[in-house]
Amino acid sequence: VPAELRARQIAVNLERLRWLPRQLPADRVWVNTASAQLQLFRNDRPVFTTRVVVGETDKQTPEFQSQIVSVLYNPPWYIPYGIAQKEIMPLVENDPDYLARHHMVMRDNGSIQQEAGPYSALGRLKFEMPNRFDVYLHDTPQRSYFARENRRLSHGCVRVQNPRELASLLLGISEDDITRNINLGTTNRRNLPQATPVFIVYQTAFIDSDNGLEFRPDVYQRDNEIAQHLIRGPKRPIAQQNPGT
């Protein structure tokens, strides 16, 4: 890659960092959708790193800040209307038993819900983080996805490879306790002792934990627009700026 393109990429991602709080919280969850990786920081040091699955290129995971406030055990999946209409209902029309076989039920208001359990698209854990995009972190039964280099496979939410370890660290309890709560089989919520800030970012250039400079492809095609705004055109002479003087 030509040096000038790398310099441009670095400039774009420095601009992205400028959008964030000048002083980041010392304890935080950091999800970089460009590298499909999640890190938990304690005292500004990464203590846990795991792979994630993020949104497809046409269903991109947005960039935003929120707080993880609770963990939901055995979450049911309330299927978003768009997914239900575009993806589920055509399958139901061709196979009347589709909903029953996938542990789904049609509600009175026309919405579709998948029951909690090992077959649920949300897996056994959901990390609740209020935001206007209705995006959250969650478990998944599709474990093979984490072995792929391309992990842009979701509808926008973030699937976590090691959710029980993350839940253990956030809740301050053992993974055995996490498993015991899951094995109860009921849907129940446990609040975090203290809400943890979470940052969903898109960094195609970043410093890794070994202080090395890393680059990732701009698969969401977001870099160019920022780069265009960073270009400063030549200033016009004063006479041209004020033609009436």
Side-chain angles (χ1 to χ4, degrees):
V1 177
E4 60 270 21
L5 292 184
R6 286 302 191 206
R8 174 180 179 271
Q9 193 172 3
I10 291 170
V12 164
N13 285 281
L14 285 172
E15 174 65 15
R16 285 196 175 101
L17 291 177
R18 217 168 57 82
W19 303 343
L20 300 173
R22 185 173 294 273
Q23 187 65 47
L24 290 171
D27 296 348
R28 62 188 182 274
V29 171
W30 186 267
V31 178
N32 185 0
T33 57
S35 61
Q37 187 178 71
L38 176 151
Q39 289 181 297
L40 172 63
F41 285 79
R42 291 277 167 81
N43 295 320
D44 270 330
R45 297 179 62 86
V47 297
F48 170 72
T49 301
T50 189
R51 290 184 167 197
V52 295
V53 169
V54 297
E56 299 177 54
T57 53
D58 61 340
K59 304 177 184 70
Q60 299 180 12
T61 301
E63 299 166 67
F64 65 95
Q65 304 170 36
S66 183
Q67 289 187 321
I68 299 176
V69 296
S70 57
V71 175
L72 190 66
Y73 295 100
N74 299 307
W77 183 33
Y78 297 94
I79 302 174
Y81 179 81
I83 297 176
Q85 294 301 310
K86 293 179 182 179
E87 300 182 25
I88 304 298
M89 291 311 298
L91 297 173
V92 173
E93 292 174 3
N94 294 326
D95 178 6
D97 296 326
Y98 180 89
L99 293 181
R101 286 192 294 104
H102 289 84
H103 306 274
M104 296 178 181
V105 293
M106 182 79 74
R107 295 301 184 188
D108 293 339
N109 62 2
S111 65
I112 299 175
Q113 175 187 330
Q114 187 176 43
E115 298 170 353
Y119 36 75
S120 170
L122 303 188
R124 296 303 192 100
L125 293 170
K126 175 185 176 183
F127 299 85
E128 298 184 303
M129 36 188 276
N131 63 87
R132 66 187 180 92
F133 302 104
D134 197 24
V135 166
Y136 42 84
L137 312 180
H138 65 87
D139 183 20
T140 176
Q142 296 170 309
R143 311 303 302 172
S144 62
Y145 283 6
F146 296 108
R148 299 187 184 186
E149 182 177 353
N150 175 11
R151 296 191 296 281
R152 295 172 293 279
L153 303 162
S154 81
H155 288 89
C157 284
V158 179
R159 306 175 192 178
V160 182
Q161 183 176 21
N162 297 303
R164 298 191 189 201
E165 187 175 354
L166 178 61
S168 170
L169 291 166
L170 292 176
L171 291 171
I173 60 178
S174 70
E175 287 189 59
D176 288 340
D177 286 336
I178 299 290
T179 299
R180 277 192 288 271
N181 287 328
I182 289 173
N183 290 341
L184 293 175
T186 58
T187 299
N188 61 95
R189 176 177 290 104
R190 179 151 184 169
N191 294 329
L192 271 61
Q194 184 173 355
T196 299
V198 56
F199 295 82
I200 311 294
V201 301
Y202 183 72
Q203 291 289 143
T204 57
F206 57 94
I207 300 297
D208 64 21
S209 56
D210 296 321
N211 291 320
L213 181 57
E214 295 273 348
F215 295 98
R216 294 294 183 273
D218 178 22
V219 292
Y220 282 172
Q221 297 294 302
R222 296 179 184 173
D223 283 2
N224 188 59
E225 182 178 0
I226 297 173
Q228 294 301 315
H229 286 286
L230 293 179
I231 297 173
R232 294 182 178 179
K235 290 185 177 180
R236 293 181 298 166
I238 298 296
Q240 292 183 25
Q241 293 182 29
N242 302 286
T245 60

